[in-house]
Amino acid sequence: MEILEQAQILERKGEDIVHMEIGEPDFATPWSIREAAIKAIREGKTFYTHSLGLLDLRERISQFYLDTRGIDVSPERIIVTNGTSGAFFLLSAVLLDGKKGLIVSDPGYPCYRNFGVLADAPVVSLPVSRESEFEIAPEQLGEIRVKNPMLMICSPSNPTGTVYGKPALEGLYQAVTHKQGIMAVDEIYSGLSYGDDYPSALSVSDEIVVIDGFSKTYAMTGWRLGWTVVPDKLVRSLQTVAQHVFISAPTVAQYAALAAFDAVDDINEMRKTYEVRRDFLFPRLKEIGFELPARPAAAFYVYANIEKWGIDSMEFVERALAEAKVAITPGYDFGSYNAGSHVRFSYATAVERLAEGCRRLEKWTNSL
Ligand code: PLP
């Protein structure tokens, strides 16, 4: 966020900044979804819903797993939450404490470890690198002392775009089970995959927790709606916390979300646009001299190595902003392992702006 704030200060002074740091779709929510919300408001759907979420919506999410992944998920195991962030909160409140630790990857999405900190749980960060395609290997879990851990991974991942294949998910699940722990997979970028559909962790076991949401694929960040699919045995305890902390997820957003799965043309159009941007940005960054892992198969990020310029990533992004007027995210936002030698680019920005950003970065890096 700091870079975004610095960029906004410069913009208020009249500077033109190319934003390649924002991890949020640049599209407004598709009209059909917005209209479903307007209809709900007109009809006075302004009350709390069931604490697990509208049954219609949970059934629709269940149908989504059947249609897209061929997986039968009972609506009874689905909890609609206040964004996926709300789901992380519920899970950390129920599954973590001073003894039950959290295992995350480094680099990884930073909020996970902060939910661990909030629950006063030991947090173990496992380093992942380009050599292992930024995946946690099951053997890494073997070395950990934490009891009954919750392993939290992201697939497709922010910031690296990593997608765990089914054998990798199975290996991790076995390793976590061996430690009497629980595995949770954040699949929020699942709808933004540009190749074959990848396997949901729900295809591995009903005992795995999956978190997903409407923010990214459906361009609904401001509606604050997500969901989690949990093993039967966890529903009641998560529901109890949800009842006390949230009462229910936002009602109008839930009615809007009922239309989200049918906005197929809009979703496909947005996905196609991200893909075009990726296909532009990836080779262009390489041309400028960034060292990149495999072309990301999903999400809208490129995690780039900047070692060749011999500048720490914090200084690199601050200077890129000040001198090239391009905002990017330093590796430190995602952990500490190799953080000084990496930055993250987001391509949730029009291709013309990406082109302009790259032109400026090329000129600037050539001058370093
Ligand atoms: N999970 C990941 C990996 C993210 O990158 C983000 C947002 O950037 C979120 C979750 C937050 O999602 P939500 O808007 O559903 O709370």
Side-chain angles (χ1 to χ4, degrees):
M1 267 304 165
E2 265 172 36
I3 287 293
L4 174 59
E5 281 164 18
Q6 285 177 33
Q8 286 166 340
I9 292 171
L10 290 176
E11 280 173 329
R12 276 198 292 276
K13 289 182 185 159
E15 298 280 6
D16 172 54
I17 306 296
V18 178
H19 289 278
M20 296 165 90
E21 84 285 32
I22 301 176
E24 173 173 21
D26 55 325
F27 301 102
T29 306
W31 258 115
S32 56
I33 303 176
R34 286 188 257 168
E35 268 161 4
I38 293 166
K39 182 165 177 280
I41 293 172
R42 286 224 171 89
E43 290 173 359
K45 304 267 175 55
T46 56
F47 302 93
Y48 297 134
T49 66
H50 191 285
S51 56
L52 294 177
L54 289 172
L55 181 58
D56 283 354
L57 183 55
R58 288 184 286 135
E59 284 175 350
R60 196 64 192 79
I61 294 168
S62 162
Q63 189 65 42
F64 159 81
Y65 283 110
L66 200 58
D67 294 346
T68 62
R69 303 281 186 275
I71 307 169
D72 196 358
V73 178
S74 154
E76 315 294 315
R77 293 173 51 216
I78 297 171
I79 308 176
V80 178
T81 54
N82 298 48
T84 57
S85 308
F88 303 143
F89 175 81
L90 297 181
L91 291 164
S92 57
V94 168
L95 294 170
L96 301 176
D97 59 31
K99 290 204 187 93
K100 292 180 189 155
L102 174 68
I103 305 174
V104 293
S105 74
D106 180 356
Y109 179 59
C111 294
Y112 306 146
R113 67 181 79 95
N114 289 329
F115 281 109
V117 172
L118 191 65
D120 213 10
V123 179
V124 180
S125 298
L126 297 177
V128 292
S129 61
R130 184 178 168 180
E131 290 66 45
S132 56
E133 293 174 19
F134 295 104
E135 286 186 7
I136 295 178
E139 304 78 63
Q140 287 179 281
L141 292 174
E143 296 149 20
I144 288 168
R145 297 261 163 100
V146 180
K147 281 189 189 154
N148 309 112
M150 172 160 88
L151 169 69
M152 181 80 216
I153 61 167
C154 186
S155 178
S157 131
N158 172 11
T160 59
T162 305
V163 178
Y164 284 81
K166 194 161 176 188
L169 291 169
E170 282 166 347
L172 285 177
Y173 175 62
Q174 273 164 21
V176 176
T177 308
H178 189 69
K179 292 202 160 310
Q180 285 90 45
I182 188 151
M183 177 161 155
V185 186
D186 177 359
E187 298 185 351
I188 192 166
Y189 292 100
S190 62
L192 295 179
S193 103
Y194 309 116
D196 297 337
D197 270 347
Y198 72 95
S200 166
L202 292 169
S203 67
V204 173
S205 168
D206 283 353
E207 295 298 309
I208 295 179
V209 171
V210 162
I211 303 111
D212 202 336
F214 295 93
S215 287
K216 312 290 174 170
T217 308
Y218 308 92
M220 291 179 70
T221 45
W223 300 79
R224 308 311 305 130
L225 208 65
W227 73 83
T228 178
V229 182
V230 301
D232 285 322
K233 59 176 186 268
L234 282 181
V235 174
R236 192 68 197 130
S237 43
L238 288 164
Q239 183 182 8
T240 305
V241 181
Q243 273 166 340
H244 288 277
V245 179
F246 300 117
I247 304 188
S248 72
T251 302
V252 173
Q254 293 191 59
Y255 281 100
L258 272 171
F261 297 103
D262 297 325
V264 181
D265 291 345
D266 292 300
I267 309 305
N268 285 341
E269 185 70 34
M270 289 191 279
R271 193 191 294 116
K272 188 77 210 140
T273 307
Y274 291 128
E275 192 177 355
V276 168
R277 294 169 178 180
R278 177 200 61 173
D279 291 347
F280 166 78
L281 184 65
F282 191 78
R284 187 72 181 95
L285 288 176
K286 266 193 172 165
E287 201 174 70
I288 296 171
F290 290 94
E291 212 183 291
L292 306 181
R295 198 173 64 149
F300 38 60
Y301 305 112
V302 178
Y303 198 59
N305 187 309
I306 55 162
E307 236 164 349
K308 71 176 257 197
W309 288 291
I311 303 176
D312 184 80
S313 67
M314 201 60 230
E315 185 187 336
F316 189 91
V317 301
E318 278 174 1
R319 286 185 58 188
L321 183 60
E323 297 168 27
K325 307 288 184 276
V326 178
I328 42 187
T329 309
Y332 293 106
D333 278 19
F334 309 101
S336 57
Y337 185 68
N338 286 338
S341 55
H342 285 81
V343 295
R344 186 198 74 178
F345 291 91
S346 159
Y347 48 92
T349 305
V351 81
E352 298 74 28
R353 296 298 287 163
L354 295 175
E356 173 60 16
C358 287
R359 197 189 55 74
R360 294 182 193 181
L361 281 174
E362 187 165 48
K363 193 163 166 229
W364 175 66
T365 51
N366 281 340
S367 72
L368 291 174

